[in-house]
Amino acid sequence: GAVVSQHPSWVICKSGTSVKIECRSLDFQATTMFWYRQFPKQSLMLMATSNEGSKATYEQGVEKDKFLINHASLTLSTLTVTSAHPEDSSFYICSAREAQKPLDTQYFGPGTRLTVL
Amino acid sequence: GESVGLHLPTLSVQEGDNSIINCAYSNSASDYFIWYKQESGKGPQFIIDIRSNMDKRQGQRVTVLLNKTVKHLSLQIAATQPGDSAVYFCAETSGSRLTFGEGTQLTVNP
């Protein structure tokens, strides 16, 4: 149980285009989903926290107009990187917290590798 | 600001040896700590956790030690195997927000 999937697993796009990444909780309902970004040889950095049915809360320094997050259902959150540029190339990882479970329980997805040319 | 960091960026051990990975944290309000294993190109995988009211917890081949006095966390892996080669992160949380440390690359030599 507690499986989180991401789609696509990798994507290559041209500079200036937008890319959407999906995060799904496959066998549980996720009231909260988290989006992280990880650059090579670095740690995971939290970008935003997304609660179902409400606006996402972005970490300091993360542009909300560039990284659009939608959490319209209890099993799906999407991250859209708008007008992507090479510096947005990174490994994007989501995690999900199961409803009615302890606040500190997060299940991680496998990540999405974004390469912007 | 508050941070969670690791002492060593790389650790190389021989197969069969025990490995110890260390982590320092600075948020004295942290009440829950987690160790994750991340293989190349994959998401973090939960290894073991410990709450602040404990100082030791054991799992299968892994042990986590917590020293709140000096804000230090360690992960011990017994009889390290090649499949243990990965980056290991400690993470701290108070509430729902996870803060990750810098990571240690563990390499197990056959």
Side-chain angles (χ1 to χ4, degrees), chain B:
Chain B
E2 301 290 359
S3 65
V4 179
L6 294 173
H7 293 307
L8 297 173
T10 62
L11 176 65
S12 184
V13 300
Q14 291 298 122
E15 181 178 359
D17 286 352
N18 296 332
S19 303
I20 299 176
I21 301 172
N22 297 302
C23 176
Y25 66 96
S26 57
N27 185 357
S28 57
S30 301
D31 55 8
Y32 181 55
F33 304 87
I34 311 164
W35 280 101
Y36 290 95
K37 172 186 180 183
Q38 187 180 30
E39 297 176 303
S40 181
K42 297 183 179 180
Q45 175 188 352
F46 174 92
I47 300 174
I48 193 168
D49 58 0
I50 189 168
R51 297 205 176 271
S52 58
N53 61 351
M54 303 171 68
D55 54 20
K56 180 179 181 179
R57 191 159 188 233
Q58 288 185 291
Q60 187 176 14
R61 284 202 305 120
V62 294
T63 301
V64 55
L65 300 177
L66 175 62
N67 186 331
K68 294 182 289 294
T69 302
V70 296
K71 298 178 187 171
H72 184 268
L73 194 68
S74 69
L75 175 69
Q76 300 177 2
I77 304 174
T80 314
Q81 303 167 1
D84 295 327
S85 294
V87 177
Y88 289 81
F89 293 97
C90 65
E92 158 271 332
T93 182
S94 52
S96 63
R97 191 177 185 281
L98 272 178
T99 300
F100 283 82
E102 295 175 344
T104 293
Q105 173 71 59
L106 174 65
T107 301
V108 182
N109 302 308

Side-chain angles (χ1 to χ4, degrees), chain A residues 34 36 38 41-44 46 59 91 93 97 102-106 108-111 113, chain B residues 31-32 34 36 38 41-45 51 89 93 95-98 100-103 105:
Chain A
F34 304 85
Y36 297 83
Q38 185 179 31
K41 305 293 185 183
Q42 295 188 25
S43 187
L44 283 75
L46 180 65
E59 294 298 302
F91 194 49
I93 305 170
R97 189 172 70 213
L103 292 176
D104 47 26
T105 303
Q106 292 186 28
F108 283 85
R113 174 76 59 193
Chain B
D31 55 8
Y32 181 55
I34 311 164
Y36 290 95
Q38 187 180 30
K42 297 183 179 180
Q45 175 188 352
R51 297 205 176 271
F89 293 97
T93 182
S96 63
R97 191 177 185 281
L98 272 178
F100 283 82
E102 295 175 344
Q105 173 71 59

Side-chain angles (χ1 to χ4, degrees), chain A:
Chain A
V3 176
V4 176
S5 71
Q6 285 185 237
H7 179 81
S9 56
W10 59 270
V11 56
I12 301 173
C13 69
K14 293 182 178 180
S15 185
T17 61
S18 294
V19 175
K20 179 184 286 188
I21 302 171
E22 293 184 349
C23 177
R24 292 182 186 273
S25 57
L26 298 185
D27 49 4
F28 66 97
Q29 293 185 328
T31 50
T32 305
M33 288 184 170
F34 304 85
W35 287 96
Y36 297 83
R37 180 167 52 182
Q38 185 179 31
F39 292 108
K41 305 293 185 183
Q42 295 188 25
S43 187
L44 283 75
M45 297 300 295
L46 180 65
M47 298 175 66
T49 302
S50 167
N51 291 299
E52 186 267 336
S54 63
K55 291 183 178 180
T57 302
Y58 290 81
E59 294 298 302
Q60 190 173 8
V62 178
E63 301 174 58
K64 63 179 181 180
D65 294 331
K66 181 171 183 62
F67 298 99
L68 303 179
I69 293 173
N70 184 283
H71 191 169
S73 79
L74 286 173
T75 60
L76 173 65
S77 177
T78 61
L79 168 68
T80 301
V81 183
T82 63
S83 186
H85 289 92
E87 58 265 30
D88 298 322
S89 298
S90 189
F91 194 49
Y92 291 86
I93 305 170
C94 73
S95 70
R97 189 172 70 213
E98 187 174 358
Q100 300 178 344
K101 283 292 177 72
L103 292 176
D104 47 26
T105 303
Q106 292 186 28
Y107 305 103
F108 283 85
T112 296
R113 174 76 59 193
L114 170 63
T115 302
V116 184
L117 302 177

